[in-house]
Amino acid sequence: METSDEIPQARDVPNADPLGDPFLRTRFALPTRPGTFLRRQRLVEHLDRSSRTPLVMVDGAAGAGKTLLVADWAAGLGQPVAWLTLDAAIQGPGMFWAHVLQALRAVGVELPAGIGSPADGSRVDHTLLSRLAARLSNGGSTVTLVLDDYDRATADISDQLAFVLQHARPGLRLVLVTRTEPLLPLHRYRAAGEITEIRDAELAFTPEETAALLELHGLCLTVPAARDLVERTRGWAAGLRLCALAAGQSPDPQVYLKEFEAGHSTIADFLLAEVLRRQEPQTQDLLLRVSVLERFCADLANELTGRADAEAILAGLHRENAFVEDLGHAWYRLHPLFREILRVHLRERCPGLEPELHRRAAHWLRRSGALPEMLTHGAAAGDWEFTARALVDDLAIGQLFTGVRSDDLTELFAGMEPGATSSATSLVRAARDLARHDLDHGLAHLRHAERQLGDDDHDPAAAQLSCALLEALAARLSGSPRRAEQAARAARELEREVPARLLDQHPELPALLLTHVGSTRVWAGEFEEARAALTAVAGGRDGAATVVPRQESLGHLALIDYLDGWPGRAERNAFAAMSESDRFGLPRLSGSGLGRMVLAAVAVDRGELRRAQGLIDQAPESAAQDPVTAAARSIALARLLLARGRARAAAEAARAAVTTDVASPWAQGQAAIVASAAHLAEGRPDAAAEVVRDAAAGQPACAVAQARAHLAAGDRWTALKVLDAMTAERRVGPAVRVRAVLVRAEAAHAQGDRAAARRLLADALLDARRDALRRPFREAGPWVGPFLSAPPLRDLAAGWLTPGATAPGPEAEAAPVLVEQLSGRERDVLTRLAQMMSTEEIAADLFVSVNTVKTHIKSVYRKLAVNRRHDAVRRARGLGLL
């Protein structure tokens, strides 16, 4: 009888592979876990749940921690696990199945002598596979077989393995550890729920796991610092371990982990050896060239390589887990560390090529309409004319002032070379200078751009509209309403010549333009006209692109309300201005300065001097980006100094110089009010009346200050005459009315008419109570005290103006009730909310993450039964929490 060379008739178990070489024990041994290995319970539990599925696949990039994870899990199963690590020598089906059989025998799986063993390394008889499947299916227990580095297996092997797995159930659980998806019918297993999968995303270390891993290496790293390291490494296990080992050799491990250069490190050695050098030359070239890109598609990659093979290469790299991540919609990106290393390698291998790659990318992205990325690459290429022209032609120059990219764009164009002298580069320079309030240089560049526009071959409409925007901003910074109105008229004409598509894509441009015009109208004292423009912006198109103009418009509306004497309205608009950046998770913006100053002034009127000082300190004088904000800061600071009894310092603060083309009536009036109060404090009532005389006719607040000065000089008749003339002014709010009524009450008191004085004081208390206006009563002088200490005025003042409590009247608001006690950290957050700190500022101040702060804010809102910052602060004050 002829015998098969594949299934020997000898009953002895073979101790050599089909090539005659002895089996190497290292291929069948569980890999040893190092002493610094971190057991990750979440992944082990995931594998424990895999007992319900016949197939387990752990699929990840090189160094993702796949092998050690499965080895750790297998060692803890408490039952034998057959392990086989594939390598280059185990290629053909015969070699593969001979080693599988040996792996099973090595852990005590009894195989019938008749099952045989392949004698030819290149092939295997189907009979062997059938016998093996039959033995496993009838063995009475489930055998776990782990195949490590399965990405080395061929298509033939995968077909044969699928056959065995299908017919061996339930006696076989197969665990594949691989860098690529195996060529098995995975869709069938997924549809039937018969596969357990762990992929790169799950294999990535979390910040908490990273901190624990570094601790095993003797390094102490906070979870927030570990989060930064995870962001840079994407939680890549090998990268983290190599970082830990290198940091342990560094004099300052903390600094190393934060600032290490991946391009020259053991990480670079690993990735270059395990990933780059394993690729074909064309693939290596593509990887090096796309390393200059944050993201890329096949067409963009082809643009950089000059070939047409990128689509297949990128798909293959992603399939092989070669550190190419699929972003969806045919776009990819490189793992950040791999990209960093490739860029260093590109500079060393191809010096001088990087700028050319950036230039090619910029031109491709420009044709594709991807402006933000195009600008980055154009700047990196040093092609400033092309880059600036693209920004201007796209009508995107307003993005230098508002939106999520304003700081990035400003920094990007900061490196623009002096040799670039086109109209577009001059416009960008003008915008950059005006954005940092450098009026002289900004205007010089703007005039240069205007002179050059006629010589350009490009369509000038977008550039001229950009000029109009910058002209309006320059007019705002110089306090020139006439120039701002002219710029607005020119812009309206130019908008007809610009494609509607562009205008629709850039809502920030009309919003900025209208804000600049509104600001100059406020400066000129044209409050009604200003309110119309600013309200249109504040209630206009929402979104991150218009955050700054909406914020600034709300701040200006708050100032108008404050100057008209409506502190409640002013506070609501100021709070709305402050919350704009928080809505979009943006850092504190320059547009928040005016809102803070208004809140500070309102706080002074309420007698909350420490809060007022905190608000002023948070927006230093250097943050005053225009005359309106600068004047508002001077007013708030001067009123705070007055409240603290520093009359001369207050007068000096109110006179703070603001260089403008046109004087502001209300800024002069407010400075006069402070100067008048300073004269009164120093016993010069005649000078106090004189200093506000000219401003009193058009400004009710000045009229009240003049009347108060006349009364202090003993001229009761003139004081009342001034107040009578003021009462015809309908827009006067409670902050002005209360002060006017107090002057009348003081006049009645001076005449000995206590009944009239008491009645007028009651009116003032009722008017002031809603807005908690305490300061006017302290300004009125000591004569008020005896009236407030006796009924019935004592009850009207108790609880908000004077100590004590009183039963609420029928119209009084019910006292707020605290739903649940605030924790200590929630109180910390609430205190900072009242100081108008942004989410990012609170996080930095408390050394916690932004997400943690947001969680505390939500909890505070819930416990205070509110849903807005402003309401939370008011409720907290009512409860005595602030």
Side-chain angles (χ1 to χ4, degrees):
M1 179 178 176
E2 186 177 354
T3 60
S4 165
D5 62 353
E6 186 170 301
I7 307 175
Q9 298 301 307
R11 299 185 59 83
D12 294 335
V13 175
N15 58 8
D17 65 28
L19 299 181
D21 295 326
F23 288 113
L24 301 178
R25 293 181 179 275
T26 52
R27 290 173 178 164
F28 309 105
L30 287 181
T32 303
R33 278 86 66 207
T36 55
F37 174 77
L38 176 69
R39 182 180 178 88
R40 294 191 281 168
Q41 195 60 36
R42 62 182 177 88
L43 296 179
V44 172
E45 290 173 358
H46 192 165
L47 288 171
D48 285 339
R49 294 192 296 271
S50 70
S51 61
R52 297 187 292 269
T53 63
L55 178 60
V56 180
M57 184 175 68
V58 182
D59 182 7
K66 310 179 295 296
T67 298
L68 290 181
L69 165 66
V70 177
D72 178 54
W73 166 73
L77 278 181
Q79 62 188 49
V81 174
W83 184 286
L84 172 60
T85 300
L86 303 184
D87 56 34
I90 307 176
Q91 286 296 318
M95 288 288 287
F96 173 79
W97 287 107
H99 280 80
V100 168
L101 294 174
Q102 182 63 20
L104 293 171
R105 293 186 182 104
V107 294
V109 177
E110 294 185 5
L111 298 176
I115 202 169
S117 182
D120 185 343
S122 64
R123 64 187 184 87
V124 64
D125 192 280
H126 191 73
T127 304
L128 184 149
L129 303 180
S130 298
R131 292 175 180 176
L132 176 60
R135 161 64 184 85
L136 293 174
S137 66
N138 297 321
S141 61
T142 300
V143 176
T144 299
L145 171 62
V146 178
L147 299 178
D148 191 17
D149 284 344
Y150 187 75
D151 44 279
R152 296 178 179 272
T154 64
D156 289 344
I157 291 175
S158 291
D159 289 342
Q160 295 160 4
L161 187 63
F163 171 81
V164 172
L165 181 61
Q166 178 182 357
H167 295 286
R169 61 178 70 187
L172 176 64
R173 175 167 52 171
L174 181 63
V175 181
L176 303 181
V177 183
T178 177
R179 295 187 187 183
T180 64
E181 269 202 3
L183 297 174
L184 296 172
L186 298 179
H187 60 284
R188 297 178 186 171
Y189 291 98
R190 287 169 180 150
E194 294 182 337
I195 183 172
T196 298
E197 298 182 76
I198 295 180
R199 293 182 173 271
D200 256 329
E202 195 173 356
L203 288 168
F205 273 66
T206 66
E208 291 75 15
E209 290 169 346
T210 299
L213 176 66
L214 293 173
E215 187 175 351
L216 290 173
H217 286 80
L219 303 172
C220 182
L221 199 67
T222 64
V223 171
R227 186 173 289 109
D228 293 336
L229 186 58
V230 167
E231 179 67 22
R232 190 173 178 192
T233 62
R234 292 277 199 276
W236 178 46
L240 293 172
R241 289 192 177 94
L242 291 171
C243 283
L245 292 170
Q249 305 299 317
S250 171
D252 192 334
Q254 299 277 352
V255 173
Y256 177 87
L257 290 171
K258 185 177 181 180
E259 301 177 357
F260 71 90
E261 295 182 8
H264 297 94
S265 65
T266 53
I267 300 175
D269 297 337
F270 181 93
L271 285 173
L272 291 174
E274 290 291 322
V275 182
L276 184 65
R277 294 190 183 114
R278 292 178 59 170
Q279 308 299 332
E280 296 293 329
Q282 305 96 300
T283 303
Q284 291 189 33
D285 179 66
L286 182 145
L287 286 170
L288 288 170
R289 288 171 181 261
V290 299
S291 68
V292 303
L293 303 168
E294 288 285 348
R295 64 180 192 127
F296 45 88
C297 63
D299 287 344
L300 178 52
N302 285 334
E303 183 76 13
L304 268 57
T305 63
R307 304 193 308 270
D309 56 0
E311 185 173 4
I313 291 176
L314 292 174
L317 287 169
H318 173 63
R319 188 169 56 250
E320 295 167 10
N321 282 317
F323 292 86
V324 175
E325 303 171 5
D326 189 348
L327 300 176
H329 306 288
W331 283 84
Y332 300 88
R333 70 179 175 191
L334 295 173
H335 185 287
L337 276 182
F338 192 34
R339 177 173 179 250
E340 189 177 340
I341 292 163
L342 287 173
R343 290 188 71 177
V344 172
H345 203 54
L346 171 69
R347 292 165 191 156
E348 293 174 351
R349 182 186 289 189
C350 308
L353 179 60
E354 191 171 359
E356 171 61 17
L357 294 174
H358 282 297
R359 188 192 66 79
R360 292 188 197 178
H363 283 264
W364 187 93
L365 290 164
R366 179 68 177 137
R367 293 193 301 270
S368 303
L371 182 71
E373 291 169 282
M374 174 265 137
L375 295 174
T376 300
H377 290 289
D383 195 345
W384 295 110
E385 300 285 0
F386 175 77
T387 306
R389 174 61 59 190
L391 183 78
V392 172
D393 286 351
D394 203 71
L395 206 62
I397 204 162
Q399 292 183 357
L400 284 162
F401 304 98
T402 183
V404 296
R405 301 187 66 249
S406 58
D407 290 342
D408 292 340
L409 284 175
T410 301
E411 183 178 352
L412 185 147
F413 281 104
M416 189 158 52
E417 298 169 355
T421 57
S422 68
S423 61
T425 55
S426 294
L427 275 173
V428 171
R429 286 193 178 95
R432 186 189 62 198
D433 291 336
L434 293 173
R436 58 178 182 241
H437 321 134
D438 185 346
L439 184 59
D440 292 338
H441 287 94
L443 279 174
H445 289 304
L446 182 58
R447 298 295 173 253
H448 189 258
E450 291 169 342
R451 289 193 298 270
Q452 290 177 305
L453 277 176
D455 301 328
D456 283 351
D457 296 330
H458 295 269
D459 183 0
Q464 289 174 348
L465 186 52
S466 298
C467 281
L469 170 67
L470 299 182
E471 189 66 53
L473 174 55
R476 172 183 174 180
L477 295 177
S478 58
S480 179
R482 180 184 60 81
R483 282 171 45 204
E485 298 290 351
Q486 288 175 343
R489 285 194 295 271
R492 285 192 291 271
E493 292 294 325
L494 289 164
E495 284 176 357
R496 302 172 186 173
E497 303 177 29
V498 175
R501 169 187 58 84
L502 277 183
L503 288 173
D504 188 60
Q505 288 175 354
H506 295 287
E508 72 277 359
L509 193 142
L512 285 166
L513 188 65
L514 206 51
T515 301
H516 299 334
V517 171
S519 181
T520 59
R521 289 175 180 174
V522 171
W523 181 251
E526 300 168 356
F527 289 168
E528 292 309 311
E529 295 83 352
R531 191 183 294 276
L534 297 167
T535 302
V537 177
R541 192 161 164 181
D542 201 359
T546 56
V547 166
V548 169
R550 288 201 315 276
Q551 195 172 49
E552 291 182 345
S553 293
L554 287 166
H556 281 75
L557 289 170
L559 178 64
I560 293 174
D561 288 330
Y562 174 78
L563 294 173
D564 284 345
W566 297 92
R569 295 180 190 173
E571 186 180 49
R572 285 191 293 275
N573 275 323
F575 268 114
M578 300 301 100
S579 65
E580 279 298 295
S581 56
D582 283 346
R583 287 179 56 213
F584 295 93
L586 300 175
R588 180 170 59 89
L589 302 169
S590 60
S592 67
L594 182 55
R596 291 175 187 270
M597 293 306 99
V598 172
L599 287 175
V602 171
V604 172
D605 273 353
R606 289 177 173 159
E608 300 168 349
L609 304 189
R610 281 188 297 179
R611 178 168 178 261
Q613 185 69 65
L615 287 163
I616 292 172
D617 291 344
Q618 289 169 24
E621 190 170 3
S622 59
Q625 75 275 23
D626 60 23
V628 172
T629 306
R633 185 185 188 281
S634 297
I635 293 165
L637 180 58
R639 287 191 172 277
L640 176 60
L641 292 169
L642 272 179
R644 287 176 168 167
R646 299 176 59 189
R648 290 194 178 183
E652 290 178 6
R655 288 196 302 268
V658 180
T659 304
T660 57
D661 295 347
V662 175
S664 172
W666 61 264
Q668 291 180 327
Q670 291 292 320
I673 291 172
V674 173
S676 177
H679 284 307
L680 284 179
E682 295 178 349
R684 295 189 296 274
D686 291 336
E690 182 64 27
V691 79
V692 290
R693 190 184 312 278
D694 293 337
Q699 299 185 58
C702 291
V704 174
Q706 185 186 22
R708 186 179 172 212
H710 283 304
L711 185 62
D715 189 349
R716 174 177 172 273
W717 182 86
T718 302
L720 294 177
K721 180 181 177 182
V722 170
L723 292 177
D724 290 340
M726 186 208 78
T727 55
E729 181 60 61
R730 293 183 178 180
R731 69 180 184 184
V732 171
V736 178
R737 288 199 308 269
V738 166
R739 286 181 168 88
V741 172
L742 286 172
V743 172
R744 291 184 183 276
E746 184 177 1
H749 173 68
Q751 284 294 104
D753 190 347
R754 292 180 58 82
R758 187 180 298 108
R759 174 176 51 78
L760 288 167
L761 273 174
D763 291 343
L765 287 167
L766 289 170
D767 210 6
R769 182 168 62 177
R770 180 180 297 276
D771 292 304
L773 296 173
R774 304 178 184 88
R775 185 66 200 160
F777 294 90
R778 292 176 184 139
E779 291 173 349
W783 66 272
V784 176
F787 283 95
L788 299 183
S789 62
L793 299 186
R794 180 176 59 195
D795 292 339
L796 289 176
W800 68 273
L801 181 60
T802 60
T806 183
E811 296 180 1
E813 187 177 336
V817 177
L818 185 62
V819 176
E820 182 182 339
Q821 291 297 321
L822 301 182
S823 68
R825 183 45 60 95
E826 287 167 352
R827 284 176 175 266
D828 292 339
V829 170
L830 180 61
T831 300
R832 287 157 178 80
L833 286 177
Q835 295 171 357
M836 290 318 303
M837 295 174 70
S838 70
T839 305
E840 287 73 17
E841 290 171 327
I842 296 174
D845 199 40
L846 295 178
F847 299 99
V848 297
S849 71
V850 172
N851 286 334
T852 299
V853 173
K854 289 179 179 178
T855 300
H856 286 315
I857 290 174
K858 288 180 182 178
S859 181
V860 168
Y861 287 177
R862 177 180 60 80
K863 292 180 179 181
L864 294 178
V866 299
N867 54 22
R868 295 188 305 175
R869 176 193 289 248
H870 168 65
D871 295 336
V873 172
R874 295 194 68 175
R875 177 64 56 83
R877 287 204 180 98
L879 291 165
L881 299 175
L882 293 173

